[in-house]
Amino acid sequence: MKNPEAQQDVSVSQGIRMMFYMMKPNETSFRTIEDVPNYVQKATPLFISLMLLELLVSWIHKGKPPGHLDDALTSVSAGVLSRLPSLFFKSIELTSYIYIWENYRLFNLPWDSPWTWYLTFLGVDFGYYWFHRMAHEVNIMWAAHQTHHSSEGYNLSTALRQSVFQIHTSWIFYSPLALFIPPSVYAVHLQFNLLYQFWIHTKVINNLGPLELILNTPSHHRVHHGRNRYCIDKNYAGTLIIWDRLFGTFEAENEKVVYGLTHPINTFEPFRVQFHYLVYIWTTFWATPGFFNKFSVVFKGPGWGPGKPRLGLSEEIPEVTGKEVPFSSAASQLLRIYTVVQFALMLSFYEETFADKAVLSQVTLLLRVCFIILTLTSIGFLLDQRSKAAVLETFRCLAFLTLCRFGHLKPFIPSLAFASEIFFSICVAFWGVRSVKQLASGPWK
């Protein structure tokens, strides 16, 4: 039976505590995996609240926001894209775990024991350390994980910049737990480990004193996100920094950290953010002679090349001066406001789609997902000032009107349905005119 003290509804107190891994075993122990709440989905209001709090604190202490709007939109876009497959498919991190548990488990630890709970906490965090480390040391895994590191800023929105396909390798590192840990306990800690890592993506928190010795903190994780030479391949921890201290990958924060990839990608277009490195691997694979060299392109480190060590040469990492200026959109202030409005409307459809998933038809789900992807792509094009941005935005606005007309989309506030149609009709006219001018005179500037 279900633990009577555990509940699927998450209170405000529990919501705050789950963000810091401060939930107790007796309130988060469940007999079956179906009883486990979707803590990550329930955390959405807390993500927004903490990002607003970070903005306020940064503005008070530094007189400026913690990052750039275009970068934040790109980060949240990546988070949205990473969750869309879950509308159609079950998580491979759970399905693979359940399969191993049902067919190969060695023994069954009690699901309602605090000892099982704490052992799972350690096991998931240990598995995360090794997954995270391999995601930096194996090129094909880095192709997914680089998405998270592609932001040249560092704030709470960066935590949401997730890869679409990283999940397809991470499950391997948790699978040994399925030999003895019940899936329901694993599912709880998989979520808490992820949620804990949200709040450490910030510059407004400095040193946390003695906690720095045991826990992964904003200071430790800032080093991990740096592209300074001293930051590369350091501090892989999820919750406990002890793993880095034990395995020789710990580095304390000292000189100013410059964030992002060693070779910045300079784009806000979501598909390029997600997949550009896969294209690079594909090109390098075919350009590299020899079977073993080709194998190494895929499975050795991102810095590897023929004749080099597995992880490459540290002296080939570009040096930073500390005066680097993050890539920023050349879009006008008015266009930035427009993209924020359209992004907010998209988020309302996104949240509503997840909330109503059980009652929506597969056709409606598919059309909504396509519209969300189209919106994110169009916003990226607009921020990048791509030559076909106006054409794509015209098509997107027409798609919105069409989907609304056939009942596949509806405004978040029903009473605003008519106003929404008027607004998008105006957008179609505006961007249609821009498209015609652009096609007549060349790329839009």
Side-chain angles (χ1 to χ4, degrees), residues 167-219:
I167 196 173
H168 296 291
T169 55
S170 60
W171 65 271
I172 299 168
F173 297 85
Y174 303 121
S175 57
L177 297 174
L179 298 175
F180 53 93
I181 300 289
S184 60
V185 188
Y186 164 74
V188 167
H189 287 279
L190 189 65
Q191 295 184 78
F192 287 170
N193 190 275
L194 177 65
L195 291 174
Y196 178 89
Q197 295 177 58
F198 177 77
W199 73 274
I200 61 177
H201 288 83
T202 185
K203 291 187 286 188
V204 302
I205 298 174
N206 293 319
N207 191 283
L208 294 178
L211 293 177
E212 302 278 341
L213 297 173
I214 301 170
L215 296 176
N216 193 13
T217 64
S219 177

Side-chain angles (χ1 to χ4, degrees), residues 16-90:
I16 295 172
R17 286 187 290 120
M18 75 184 183
M19 299 297 293
F20 301 93
Y21 224 133
M22 297 175 66
M23 297 284 270
K24 295 179 290 187
N26 64 354
E27 59 186 336
T28 55
S29 295
F30 303 88
R31 185 175 184 274
T32 68
I33 200 166
E34 289 77 19
D35 295 328
V36 178
N38 189 336
Y39 290 110
V40 174
Q41 185 172 329
K42 293 178 186 293
T44 299
L46 288 160
F47 292 155
I48 297 171
S49 300
L50 288 173
M51 284 192 285
L52 292 175
L53 179 62
E54 181 189 40
L55 175 64
L56 178 64
V57 171
S58 180
W59 212 290
I60 291 173
H61 285 273
K62 300 180 180 180
K64 61 180 182 180
H68 295 284
L69 175 65
D70 42 25
D71 184 76
L73 289 180
T74 306
S75 293
V76 181
S77 294
V80 168
L81 278 177
S82 71
R83 286 193 65 208
L84 290 179
S86 66
L87 287 168
F88 303 100
F89 311 104
K90 293 182 178 179

Side-chain angles (χ1 to χ4, degrees), residues 104 140 206:
Y104 300 105
I140 192 65
N206 293 319

